[in-house]
């Protein structure tokens, strides 16, 4: 076997996956996105059993295992439950820095993530103080809404 | 903890099926099946001890798609475990969990929302990037190559394959749970173009979206439900080679190994005489024919004759896929669980228009799509 070739460096075969998906939004989320786009309004669904108000809305309550039925208008103000400020770039994600917060909108039981704008992010300590848990925000809708979650963001009150 | 000796099926259901279930998101589709299965058993989510999931990330277009489907499957704050192999393996895992004695109830849930993803592309990515992908293989292509290893009469085999499609589509026509509820004429199949020789377009069933859930339970728990429980007295599973290797694929050695284990566990001595029906993988009609032999329903070499003589017809000596099988309801990843559900309904006397007469024992079979590397067999009884 002495005449067999020997590798001088690890041999790598490059590969890429390009898969297109058509994610069905479904009737429940379609209503959420349509209200967002057409009426600049955020809707949630309430469980008829435990009364939790879910946003994003979903067709079922995973705790009570019953179908949710009651649409509830929520916001436009809410309270920060969790936040972070992104300073390093992530593959495929927005250019940093940007602030993200989970906000429980008034009338909702669950927190909904979105960007927080109009915060000076140059100093991490100062920015984090401004975004402190418990601080209140208001929803700002963009002018040209497309029926996407990025049709709005949060702004500190 | 008491190691259990018997596994019961307490209930089961499927979601609504459709070519495009665009009305629901993936998680809502899963909820439909889980909710219906618990309702069927008369069991509340609070009485659920564990949830077992099976999903394919590439088909679902979500990394670890079980993250989003776990809670709609009933798993919120429950013991939950998941597998990425074909749906029937969630049932395998659920059975093991019942036998462990740690769990009184185990809900196995699997799904497929094939309308959202390019199936053939996703399938081709299961091939290794070094030796196989550059050749242009996919599961259907490999299945076609596998059929070429058949050593018997090729014309008889093609005729038998055609008959399997006609049979299963005819069964599906009257099955209210089937997706394709209209027949397929022999001439349509004969006129259908080859996808990959010798497999014709009409022999590859149209896929549909849907989710399937089956509730397994202990013997103790089975006493508490209203309707007749069905028993899983034999479970066997096995994995064969990756791709086509040394063994002629038509021998389906992994299926033979899986069946041997399931039969030994259930005390099945002569599978050609002891089953009242079989619900088996028929992703192409050839798979059904080769499985007749691998499962011992007929001697080796006589698979084509088994269908051509009418034995596997719905009113034949041993009805195979009285539900219509995948040919009528191609739930892709969830197909094995669909076979278990149909077998369960047969044995609980609730199969409706496709009910076989007074069945006492049958088998359900799950396989990992077309190359069928891995198989799971369930021997089920109602006594």
């Amino acid at each position: 076997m002495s005449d067999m070739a020997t590798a001088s460096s690890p041999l790598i075969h490059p590969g890429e996956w390009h898969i297109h998906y058509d994610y069905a939004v479904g009737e429940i989320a379609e209503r959420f996105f349509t209200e967002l786009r057409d009426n600049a309004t955020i809707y949630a669904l309430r469980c008829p059993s435990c009364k939790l108000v879910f946003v994003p809305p979903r067709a079922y309550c995973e705790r009570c295992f019953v179908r949710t039925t009651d649409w509830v208008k929520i916001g436009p103000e809410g309270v920060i439950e969790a936040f972070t400020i992104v300073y390093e770039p992530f593959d495929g994600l927005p250019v940093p820095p940007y602030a993200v917060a989970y906000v429980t909108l008034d009338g909702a039981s669950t927190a909904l993530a979105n960007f927080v704008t109009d915060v000076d992010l140059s100093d991490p300590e100062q920015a984090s103080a401004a975004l402190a848990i418990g601080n209140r925000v208001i929803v700002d809708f963009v002018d040209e809404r497309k029926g996407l979650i990025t049709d709005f963001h949060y702004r500190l009150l | 903890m008491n190691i259990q000796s018997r596994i019961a099926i307490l209930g089961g259901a499927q979601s609504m099926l459709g070519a495009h279930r665009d009305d629901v998101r993936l998680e809502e589709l899963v909820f439909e099946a889980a909710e219906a299965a618990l309702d069927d058993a008369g069991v509340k989510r609070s009485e659920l001890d564990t949830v077992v999931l099976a999903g394919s990330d590439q088909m679902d277009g979500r990394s670890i798609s079980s993250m989003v489907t776990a809670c709609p499957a009933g798993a919120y704050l429950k013991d939950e475990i998941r597998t990425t192999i074909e749906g029937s393996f969630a049932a395998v895992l659920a059975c093991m969990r019942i036998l462990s004695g740690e769990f009184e109830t185990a809900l196995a849930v699997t799904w497929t929302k094939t309308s959202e993803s390019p199936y053939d592309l996703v399938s081709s990515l299961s091939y290794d990037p070094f030796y196989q992908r550059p050749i242009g293989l996919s599961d259907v292509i490999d299945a076609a190559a596998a059929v070429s290893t058949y050593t018997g009469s090729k014309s008889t085999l093609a005729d038998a394959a055609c008959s399997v499609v006609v049979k299963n589509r005819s069964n599906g026509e009257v099955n209210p749970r089937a997706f394709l509820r209209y027949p397929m004429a022999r001439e349509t199949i004969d006129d259908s173009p080859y996808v990959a020789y010798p497999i014709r377009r009409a022999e590859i069933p149209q896929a549909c979206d849907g989710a399937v859930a089956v509730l397994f339970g202990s013997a103790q728990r089975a006493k508490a439900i209203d309707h007749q429980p069905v028993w899983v007295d034999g479970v066997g599973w096995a994995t064969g080679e990756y791709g086509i290797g040394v063994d002629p694929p038509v021998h389906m050695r992994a299926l033979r190994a899986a069946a041997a284990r399931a039969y030994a566990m259930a005390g099945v001595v002569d599978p050609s005489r002891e089953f009242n029906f079989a619900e088996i993988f028929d992703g192409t009609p050839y798979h059904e024919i080769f499985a007749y032999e691998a499962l011992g329903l007929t001697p080796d070499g006589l698979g084509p004759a088994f269908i051509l003589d009418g034995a596997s017809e719905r009113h034949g000596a041993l009805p195979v896929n009285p539900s219509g099988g995948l040919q009528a309801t191609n739930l892709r990843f969830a197909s094995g669980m669909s076979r278990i559900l149909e077998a369960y309904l047969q044995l609980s006397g609730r199969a409706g228009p496709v009910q076989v007469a007074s069945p006492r024992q049958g088998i359900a079979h799950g396989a990992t799509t077309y190359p069928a590397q891995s198989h799971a067999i369930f021997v089920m009884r109602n006594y």
Side-chain angles (χ1 to χ4, degrees):
Chain A
M1 304 293 274
S2 59
D3 56 343
M4 283 188 77
T6 51
S8 56
S9 61
L11 185 59
I12 306 291
H13 287 190
E16 285 180 57
W17 290 11
H18 296 285
I19 309 177
H20 176 88
Y21 292 95
D22 290 307
Y23 298 110
V25 172
E27 290 170 357
I28 299 285
E30 184 174 337
R31 182 158 176 190
F32 172 86
F33 287 121
T34 303
E35 287 290 341
L36 195 56
R37 183 191 63 207
D38 297 350
N39 301 318
T41 308
I42 298 176
Y43 272 93
L45 265 170
R46 181 169 50 209
C47 171
S49 176
C50 69
K51 309 297 183 191
L52 286 179
V53 176
F54 294 103
V55 61
R58 53 168 107 106
Y60 53 87
C61 173
E62 63 197 24
R63 302 170 190 218
C64 307
F65 232 56
V66 295
R67 284 170 189 276
T68 52
T69 46
D70 313 325
W71 285 95
V72 183
K73 196 170 160 179
I74 59 168
E77 293 184 16
V79 60
I80 296 176
E81 302 281 357
F83 76 95
T84 189
I85 306 157
V86 181
Y87 284 104
E88 289 208 354
F90 284 76
D91 212 8
L93 298 190
V95 176
Y98 56 93
V100 172
Y102 283 84
V103 168
T104 300
L105 292 167
D106 294 345
S109 308
T110 60
L112 184 64
N114 217 322
F115 297 113
V116 188
T117 56
D118 295 335
V119 185
D120 180 358
L121 302 177
S122 55
D123 181 76
E125 300 305 329
Q126 278 188 5
S128 65
L131 292 162
I133 288 167
N135 282 359
R136 289 188 66 80
V137 299
I138 187 165
V139 168
D140 261 350
F141 293 97
V142 302
D143 292 335
E144 298 218 351
R145 294 184 300 277
K146 298 169 181 168
L148 300 171
I149 194 67
T150 44
D151 281 356
F152 73 92
H153 45 251
Y154 301 126
R155 177 169 50 84
L156 288 167
L157 276 172
Chain B
M1 184 181 89
N2 293 306
I3 298 287
Q4 299 287 306
S5 59
R6 255 192 141 180
I7 308 150
I9 296 182
L10 308 179
Q14 67 187 21
S15 69
M16 279 175 54
L17 310 181
H20 296 269
R21 282 297 314 274
D22 291 343
D23 56 319
V24 287
R25 280 185 289 158
L26 176 66
E27 52 268 51
E28 293 164 342
L29 184 71
V30 168
F31 177 79
E32 273 185 23
E35 178 192 41
L38 290 179
D39 282 353
D40 184 60
V43 170
K44 298 187 185 73
R45 194 185 84 88
S46 58
E47 303 170 273
L48 206 48
D49 292 335
T50 183
V51 174
V52 187
L53 308 172
S56 163
D57 294 354
Q58 289 92 333
M59 275 196 231
D60 294 338
R62 293 154 170 93
S63 292
I64 316 179
S65 64
S66 305
M67 289 172 66
V68 76
T69 55
C71 287
Y76 178 65
L77 298 186
K78 300 278 185 187
D79 179 282
E80 176 258 312
I81 194 165
R82 49 190 79 164
T83 167
T84 61
I85 195 170
E86 198 271 338
S88 60
F89 286 80
V92 166
L93 200 44
C95 288
M96 285 196 280
R97 287 167 95 65
I98 294 297
L99 288 180
S100 76
E102 292 278 352
F103 308 93
E104 293 287 319
T105 55
L107 185 64
V109 186
T110 185
W111 54 88
T112 190
K113 210 152 186 291
T114 203
S115 65
E116 296 190 354
S117 58
Y119 178 78
D120 290 332
L121 175 60
V122 167
S123 154
S124 69
L125 292 173
S126 67
Y127 285 84
D128 96 62
F130 311 108
Y131 297 106
Q132 296 173 329
R133 279 189 214 166
I135 307 302
L137 293 174
S138 78
D139 62 354
V140 173
I141 296 168
D142 227 3
V147 174
S148 73
T149 63
Y150 181 73
T151 52
S153 158
K154 293 285 197 292
S155 61
T156 305
L157 180 63
D159 193 25
C162 191
S163 298
V164 166
V165 176
V166 170
K167 165 181 73 75
N168 290 355
R169 289 294 298 274
S170 166
N171 291 346
E173 186 185 7
V174 292
N175 182 357
R177 297 171 300 280
F179 169 55
L180 299 174
R181 297 194 55 201
Y182 53 94
M184 174 81 82
R186 181 170 289 274
E187 301 73 44
T188 308
I189 302 165
D190 285 340
D191 293 344
S192 165
Y194 290 115
V195 174
Y197 185 86
I199 298 177
R200 296 178 184 274
R201 169 50 56 201
E203 292 171 329
I204 300 173
Q206 182 190 348
C208 60
D209 293 344
V212 188
V214 174
L215 182 65
F216 295 85
S218 65
Q220 187 65 26
R221 195 66 184 73
K223 290 178 188 165
I225 59 166
D226 289 339
H227 51 256
Q228 167 78 45
V230 168
W231 303 97
V232 181
D233 280 346
V235 188
W237 60 98
T239 291
E241 292 173 289
Y242 179 72
I244 294 176
V246 177
D247 303 320
V250 292
H251 289 176
M252 300 183 102
R253 291 195 62 172
L255 178 54
R256 286 168 198 258
R261 291 187 190 121
Y263 295 167
M265 183 174 167
V268 171
V269 178
D270 183 354
S272 71
R273 300 170 62 90
E274 295 180 33
F275 300 132
N276 301 111
F277 69 89
E279 284 286 339
I280 69 179
F281 180 79
D282 60 328
T284 78
Y286 295 98
H287 286 89
E288 178 170 319
I289 294 165
F290 302 144
Y292 294 155
E293 300 178 11
L295 291 167
L297 308 184
T298 194
D300 282 350
L302 297 183
F306 196 64
I307 172 71
L308 293 172
D309 292 347
S312 57
E313 296 284 347
R314 186 148 52 87
H315 301 291
L318 202 175
V320 176
N321 286 325
S323 68
L326 276 77
Q327 290 293 327
T329 310
N330 183 2
L331 274 165
R332 295 229 193 269
F333 205 79
S335 295
M337 196 75 83
S338 174
R339 305 278 64 69
I340 294 168
L341 175 62
E342 288 292 338
Y344 163 67
L345 292 173
Q346 286 287 353
L347 288 164
S348 62
R350 297 188 291 155
V354 293
Q355 180 70 50
V356 302
S358 310
R360 288 171 55 75
Q361 180 168 250
I363 50 171
H365 167 209
T368 52
T369 70
Y370 297 108
Q373 182 188 24
S374 302
H375 298 262
I377 289 292
F378 303 79
V379 176
M380 296 159 61
R381 295 178 179 134
N382 59 10
Y383 61 93

